[in-house]
Amino acid sequence: MLDRLIYLLGGLQLTLALLVCSLAVGIVWGLAIATMRLSPWRPLRLFAFLYVELIRGVPLLVLLLFLFFGLQGVVGRGVQVSAFWSAVAAFGLCYGAFIGEVFRAGIESVDPGQTEAARALGLSAWQTMRHVVLPQAVRNVLPALVNESVSLLKDTSLAAVIALPEVTQRGRLEVARTYETFEVWAMVAAIYLVLTLGLSSLARRLERGQKTVVHTDHSHPQPA
Amino acid sequence: MSTPIIRIRNLRKSFGPLEVLRGIHLDVAPGEKLVIIGPSGSGKSTLLRCLNRLEIPDAGYVEIDGIPLDDSRINLDRIRAEVGMVFQRFNLFPHLTALENVALGPRLVRKLPRERAEAVAETLLRKVGLAEKLHSYPETLSGGQQQRVAIARALAMNPKIMLFDEVTSALDPELVWEVLEVMRQLAQEGMTMLIVTHEIRFGAEVGDRMIFMDAGRILEEGAPKEMLRSPQHPRTRAFLERLLG
Ligand SMILES: Nc1ncnc2c1ncn2[C@@H]1O[C@H](COP(=O)(O)OP(=O)(O)O)[C@@H](O)[C@H]1O
Ligand SMILES: [Mg+2]
């Protein structure tokens, strides 16, 4: 029992590495997507809109398989495509779209009077964004961002299909070794549950005492 | 009249099919206190907002302190720094303290080091009677206090002209006087002020001139007390009667 727990928790390092790297990519890419969605330049808006539509229309599992096996097929047998970085790319590209929508909603949740006051003082468009709009937007989106992290954490289990030995893959290996399906999968589920409950309680703490909170779902966006 | 500090010729602005400003001609002298009255929707806010280009006019000519207000970035930056604006809903930055709100413009636009900018901010907050509230966040301040911070914030850019857009309309009645008091003091110091207000008595007291706007035009202008006593245009008369009861 304890041996099994230790073995499964050995995958935690990889699960958390996937989470952190994918989240970093997702946040940076998400900022870019949000900027494009709000750009005065129509082609950028259209691109970002279509991108978000595309991501929402393709299952993450398929995106992951495509990036790993599909790319491997293109570059040929000689070059090894990294399973870890394929997974980070798939998760980052996917969550970049979700997080981008969160950021966009956050920026739009800031009162236009704030921008007017800043512009009237003589702040440039960039200074207004950097010193007035973004600090308020970030505060409004923090809970939604934590919720995205919870989803992402659970989705990292998909990396098992490309044999990355994170928690879920270790579960599969443990089942293959011992055939104790019920016990193993219950333990794997419990590990994820503990992690996500921790993150959710963080989200609730952030949400408390906050006036404007942005909520998002993973449904399709408004056209650009 | 000395050389006007604001020169407005045939200013026009529409929102879609709605003509909001239909040819405004107006000169404002340095140091003048111009009071703008008129029914809601007559274009008073739009007129003020055209003066710092929060709205882009469709046609006409605006010149501020000799600088034409056009598409040039340089002119716009100079004009925004010369024209301070105070809004009906304060629009303080909620994530910054009173001191930081006031210091932000000098820091970012005038490039003052933080300590210098905050020294300027502190002086101004003292001047508007908020020496005790330097480190308070806007949500902990009353409406009157927030509006006084907003006035200090605009003054921190050391503007030559101040625009006031119904700055007491969102305040509880008992908090109006403290804001008017600050404006009165500013008027005495010789600031050029454009004041959109429904506080007619205050307008008559501090104003050098009053204009009545209706449906995008200036229908009547004159000395405030004179205008209140004997309005010429029937619409001015109707408006004042409704306002004064
Ligand atoms: N950004 C805008 N878009 C569309 N209509 C606007 C906009 N701003 C103002 N208006 C309209 O223009 C008219 C004049 O507005 P405003 O200048 O705010 O009048 P006032 O300040 O005298 O009440 C109103 O009918 C208002 O609804
Ligand atoms: Mg108005």
Side-chain angles (χ1 to χ4, degrees):
Chain A
M1 171 83 183
L2 190 61
D3 284 352
R4 171 172 298 157
L5 185 61
I6 289 170
Y7 173 72
L8 291 175
L9 285 179
L12 206 53
Q13 199 183 345
L14 193 52
T15 291
L16 293 179
L18 279 171
L19 173 67
V20 170
C21 293
S22 309
L23 200 57
V25 173
I27 285 175
V28 172
W29 184 220
L31 265 179
I33 291 290
T35 310
M36 287 189 259
R37 287 276 273 162
L38 296 169
S39 154
W41 203 43
R42 189 143 192 286
L44 277 184
R45 283 206 309 275
L46 194 64
F47 168 79
F49 169 72
L50 291 176
Y51 177 79
V52 174
E53 282 288 303
L54 174 80
I55 291 296
R56 283 180 166 161
V58 176
L60 179 51
L61 178 56
V62 174
L63 182 63
L64 178 62
L65 292 172
F66 173 77
L67 280 180
F68 184 61
F69 295 111
L71 224 52
Q72 184 71 75
V74 171
V75 297
R77 300 220 166 273
V79 194
Q80 186 60 47
V81 172
S82 152
F84 179 79
W85 292 111
S86 299
V88 167
F91 298 151
L93 285 174
C94 174
Y95 275 80
F98 299 158
I99 291 172
E101 290 296 280
V102 169
F103 282 143
R104 182 179 65 91
I107 288 169
E108 286 178 341
S109 73
V110 176
D111 180 353
Q114 293 288 306
T115 306
E116 294 194 345
R119 305 286 289 163
L121 277 178
L123 270 62
S124 67
W126 164 244
Q127 288 173 327
T128 301
M129 195 41 109
R130 159 82 182 71
H131 294 276
V132 175
V133 177
L134 277 184
Q136 297 180 56
V138 166
R139 208 179 291 184
N140 291 350
V141 302
L142 271 183
L145 215 48
V146 177
N147 288 336
E148 292 298 332
S149 313
V150 170
S151 300
L152 175 56
L153 173 64
K154 292 189 290 182
D155 279 346
T156 58
S157 64
L158 292 172
V161 301
I162 55 173
L164 272 175
E166 40 69 73
V167 173
T168 304
Q169 175 65 2
R170 287 205 177 206
R172 296 210 309 183
L173 297 172
E174 182 69 1
V175 167
R177 197 173 62 85
T178 63
Y179 298 104
E180 292 177 4
T181 48
F182 182 85
E183 293 85 342
V184 172
W185 290 122
M187 196 176 270
V188 169
I191 291 173
Y192 281 108
L193 193 61
V194 168
L195 291 175
T196 54
L197 283 178
L199 275 174
S200 304
S201 80
L202 175 65
R204 266 194 303 280
R205 211 167 312 150
L206 288 171
E207 213 163 307
R208 214 171 292 148
Q210 202 167 318
K211 277 177 295 206
T212 325
V213 173
V214 168
H215 289 283
T216 50
D217 50 38
H218 288 189
S219 58
H220 288 271
Q222 293 294 312
Chain B
M1 190 155 139
S2 53
T3 317
I5 191 166
I6 302 177
R7 214 192 268 275
I8 302 172
R9 292 291 174 270
N10 191 29
L11 185 66
R12 291 174 179 278
K13 174 74 187 174
S14 301
F15 294 108
L18 181 68
E19 272 189 276
V20 175
L21 296 179
R22 310 203 227 181
I24 301 285
H25 298 266
L26 188 66
D27 281 349
V28 182
E32 188 176 4
K33 282 57 161 157
L34 178 74
V35 177
I36 304 171
I37 61 172
S40 166
S42 56
K44 306 180 299 294
S45 298
T46 307
L47 174 60
L48 290 193
R49 293 158 59 84
C50 282
L51 298 183
N52 61 1
R53 259 179 123 68
L54 287 180
E55 302 292 354
I56 314 287
D58 298 330
Y61 179 76
V62 178
E63 185 185 286
I64 294 189
D65 203 19
I67 310 166
L69 193 46
D70 50 25
D71 294 333
S72 140
R73 258 265 25 129
I74 299 166
N75 287 353
L76 180 59
D77 289 345
R78 282 163 68 196
I79 281 170
R80 287 226 168 111
E82 288 202 4
V83 180
M85 184 159 188
V86 186
F87 303 85
Q88 183 175 349
R89 290 186 311 117
F90 330 136
N91 296 351
L92 290 183
F93 306 132
H95 59 298
L96 301 178
T97 63
L99 192 72
E100 291 164 341
N101 261 278
V102 181
L104 192 67
R107 259 181 61 211
L108 297 180
V109 182
R110 302 271 190 235
K111 310 286 180 210
L112 292 190
R114 185 185 284 269
E115 312 80 68
R116 292 260 319 278
E118 293 193 343
V120 170
E122 187 173 338
T123 308
L124 285 166
L125 284 168
R126 281 182 195 289
K127 178 174 160 171
V128 299
L130 292 172
E132 316 286 293
K133 300 290 182 185
L134 301 183
H135 302 293
S136 303
Y137 283 91
E139 64 177 6
T140 67
L141 300 176
S142 73
Q145 291 170 333
Q146 289 191 49
Q147 197 58 298
R148 286 185 280 150
V149 175
I151 293 174
R153 181 176 67 178
L155 290 175
M157 295 301 291
N158 211 0
K160 292 186 176 159
I161 301 164
M162 286 282 283
L163 312 175
F164 294 89
D165 192 359
E166 295 195 34
V167 296
T168 56
S169 298
L171 297 178
D172 293 335
E174 73 271 18
L175 300 178
V176 166
W177 69 270
E178 62 186 55
V179 173
L180 295 184
E181 197 47 49
V182 170
M183 292 169 67
R184 203 171 276 133
Q185 187 189 343
L186 207 54
Q188 275 159 15
E189 292 167 9
M191 176 69 75
T192 307
M193 295 163 78
L194 274 64
I195 306 168
V196 172
T197 186
H198 292 304
E199 299 286 330
I200 296 287
R201 269 190 297 163
F202 170 77
E205 174 203 327
V206 302
D208 300 312
R209 188 158 52 119
M210 185 174 270
I211 63 178
F212 172 72
M213 283 185 69
D214 189 56
R217 289 204 178 86
I218 299 175
L219 278 198
E220 181 167 352
E221 70 170 86
K225 294 195 175 95
E226 189 61 29
M227 196 151 138
L228 296 194
R229 204 174 319 121
S230 53
Q232 300 301 309
H233 201 287
R235 303 197 74 122
T236 320
R237 210 171 305 140
F239 173 75
L240 287 173
E241 267 166 21
R242 225 175 308 125
L243 203 63
L244 299 172

